[in-house]
Amino acid sequence: MALVVKKFGGSSVATPEKILAVAQRVLAEKSLEDKVVVVVSAMGDTTDDLISLANAVMDPVYNNSREMDMLLATGEQISIALLSMAFARLGQPAISLTGMQAGVQSNTAYGKGRILDITPERVLAELNKGKIVVVAGFQGVTPDGDIITLGRGGSDTSAVALAGALRADACEIFTDVDGIYSADPRVVPTARKMKEITYNEMLEMARLGAGVMQPRSVEMGKFYGVPIHVRSTFTQNEGTFIREEYTVEEKEFIIRGVTHDTNVAKIAVLGVPDRPGIAYKLFSALAEANIDVDMIVQSVRSTQKNIIDMVFTIAQPDIVQARQIVEKIGEELGTMGVQVEENVAKVSVVGAGMLGNPGIAANMFGALADAEINIEVISTSEISISCVIKAEQVNEAVQAIHARFFSAS
Ligand code: ASP
Ligand code: MG
């Protein structure tokens, strides 16, 4: 007997036919004694459609985040009900549960909830009755009893966290690609599929833009020690395993992946007084508003003393709020102005092997230089290097860097 959690993304349940196909696949893979939890996303582009609907009604000047979550959580409720009906049609007892019913408890950061705990008693009770339990991904409940969503792509996190809390034997993420690639195959057709990748490398790739997995889900996998198998809904092929350490694959490449992210905006605060406490003031205000700041560069002006420029990047959806905050604080501090640039992208290389391998950065910058791509901001971590460039050059940049690190010769 095994307890497995299987997650199907929006494209896997986009139509009634696909929902029936998912039910069939789950049953075909299930032995009689297996206990199966299926986590699903909203059908197809439902979440985007709901966001458009909200945008047509709301005024962004007001804080609509609670109502937004109330709205977005409905998408997953449609798919859990339909998938449970599909199981019933195939003669398999099943029950749908919302995030709240499944015991997914979150903090109160609307739109970006973080799972604090999972109390899956109801899930276990239904499994013990011989049912397949179909859980709505992407949602949880706050301490006040409000519905909350876990950020775009949050169903991955729901699935991995449930697998951890249930001490599941396996967690499979079914999606429309057949694994994790060394770059987005739509941009680099020769990108290679990996058999395995470590949590740390995957976390970095996800954080830096690899769309396959929500970063938080990889963190959860690492925390609980749940191996995650990312694979295609539409084929039987083995996908990519995300786990603590490599088991079989030779680490032939120091760099594991080249990722890119166009969901980036750059904010420059110009002419900031150079004295202690300024960065604290600015970034604590952004943190209070739950805005993630990514790269930060502080640069001295050769011509003016005691004045610096502060440049940092954030995710594009945070622009409006971030601009308001930064402009207000900028005024208080007497800075010279705020510039927001949306037309930028971030390209990164990731690999644990770069630790102790000097020259990786130079190689990456060399690839960009040869392609005549200008670098605006650079940041590094132990296992990654990122550059902010113009958005329209991003595909070219990924291709050039991938060719540099992965060419067969
Ligand atoms: N439906 C949500 C989204 O589109 C959550 C998910 O798909 O994981 O972001
Ligand atoms: Mg989705």
Side-chain angles (χ1 to χ4, degrees):
M1 190 212 73
L3 198 167
V4 293
V5 175
K6 293 170 187 262
K7 180 255 171 178
F8 291 87
S11 52
S12 307
V13 293
T15 62
E17 295 72 31
K18 287 186 172 165
I19 290 177
L20 280 161
V22 163
Q24 272 155 355
R25 174 163 192 163
V26 169
L27 283 187
E29 289 175 355
K30 177 185 179 304
S31 78
L32 209 56
E33 313 83 56
D34 283 348
K35 294 186 169 164
V36 180
V37 175
V38 183
V39 175
V40 276
S41 300
M43 295 170 71
D45 296 329
T46 303
T47 307
D48 291 323
D49 296 344
L50 291 170
I51 292 172
S52 309
L53 208 54
N55 285 336
V57 173
M58 72 184 188
D59 182 341
V61 163
Y62 298 97
N63 182 353
N64 297 287
S65 55
R66 180 185 180 277
E67 304 314 323
M68 196 69 169
D69 276 4
M70 185 65 93
L71 177 70
L72 295 190
T74 62
E76 272 67 15
Q77 259 173 260
I78 296 173
S79 18
I80 55 170
L82 293 175
L83 184 57
S84 301
M85 291 175 194
F87 280 123
R89 175 171 171 168
L90 299 173
Q92 166 67 48
I95 184 170
S96 62
L97 297 178
T98 64
M100 177 170 12
Q101 290 173 317
V104 180
Q105 298 170 29
S106 163
N107 67 354
T108 315
Y110 293 109
K112 331 177 167 176
R114 285 175 77 93
I115 297 176
L116 301 176
D117 194 14
I118 297 196
T119 43
E121 281 70 33
R122 179 80 190 271
V123 177
L124 286 165
E126 300 295 346
L127 287 173
N128 287 334
K129 290 182 206 160
K131 291 182 190 168
I132 286 185
V133 181
V134 184
V135 178
F138 182 51
Q139 53 174 263
V141 61
T142 69
D144 296 333
D146 275 348
I147 294 180
I148 196 150
T149 66
L150 307 175
R152 295 309 304 268
S155 302
D156 294 335
T157 303
S158 308
V160 178
L162 264 169
L166 292 166
R167 299 200 172 67
D169 300 292
C171 181
E172 290 175 294
I173 305 288
F174 290 89
T175 176
D176 49 6
V177 292
D178 59 359
I180 314 287
Y181 280 78
S182 57
D184 184 337
R186 286 168 301 188
V187 178
V188 182
T190 56
R192 60 190 280 282
K193 189 178 111 188
M194 298 175 228
K195 286 200 177 73
E196 302 181 294
I197 183 165
T198 63
Y199 292 124
N200 286 344
E201 287 167 317
M202 188 62 228
L203 182 58
E204 197 72 349
M205 280 183 64
R207 203 176 65 75
L208 295 171
V212 233
M213 295 286 290
Q214 198 196 36
R216 185 87 181 115
S217 70
V218 186
E219 257 171 56
M220 283 278 170
K222 184 176 163 69
F223 176 76
Y224 285 112
V226 187
I228 305 168
H229 184 186
V230 181
R231 58 190 308 193
S232 165
T233 309
F234 308 113
T235 71
Q236 303 294 324
N237 300 346
E238 189 162 282
T240 302
F241 285 90
I242 309 171
R243 46 168 69 112
E244 188 62 39
E245 293 285 349
Y246 290 98
T247 61
V248 287
E249 199 169 10
E250 296 271 274
K251 282 213 264 171
E252 42 191 317
F253 295 103
I254 292 168
I255 294 303
R256 299 291 291 169
V258 183
T259 60
H260 65 285
D261 188 355
T262 50
N263 183 26
V264 182
K266 193 176 90 179
I267 299 191
V269 194
L270 305 173
V272 183
D274 189 11
R275 54 166 200 261
I278 298 285
Y280 169 69
K281 188 153 191 187
L282 193 61
F283 294 113
S284 57
L286 291 164
E288 236 161 73
N290 266 315
I291 295 173
D292 263 325
V293 173
D294 186 23
M295 308 158 118
I296 304 176
V297 178
Q298 194 181 296
S299 54
V300 250
R301 297 185 162 201
S302 54
T303 47
Q304 281 156 296
K305 277 206 182 113
N306 305 325
I307 279 185
I308 53 158
D309 295 330
M310 194 87 91
V311 177
F312 58 93
T313 61
I314 55 167
Q316 281 199 4
D318 289 333
I319 287 180
V320 176
Q321 218 193 343
R323 185 197 278 266
Q324 280 170 359
I325 293 170
V326 171
E327 279 177 350
K328 182 163 165 279
I329 291 182
E331 246 165 61
E332 287 168 24
L333 298 174
T335 61
M336 288 147 98
V338 174
Q339 277 172 6
V340 178
E341 204 193 324
E342 295 182 46
N343 190 25
V344 290
K346 184 165 60 176
V347 47
S348 312
V349 295
V350 176
M354 72 170 67
L355 259 175
N357 256 304
I360 300 289
N363 229 341
M364 177 183 189
F365 303 154
L368 290 173
D370 289 350
E372 292 187 15
I373 294 170
N374 189 44
I375 302 171
E376 300 186 13
V377 186
I378 299 170
S379 75
T380 61
S381 82
E382 281 190 346
I383 62 168
S384 70
I385 304 164
S386 302
C387 298
V388 170
I389 58 170
K390 286 271 170 288
E392 57 266 20
Q393 292 177 308
V394 70
N395 286 357
E396 212 189 320
V398 173
Q399 287 153 1
I401 296 167
H402 193 275
R404 182 71 63 119
F405 287 105
F406 288 88
S407 66
S409 56

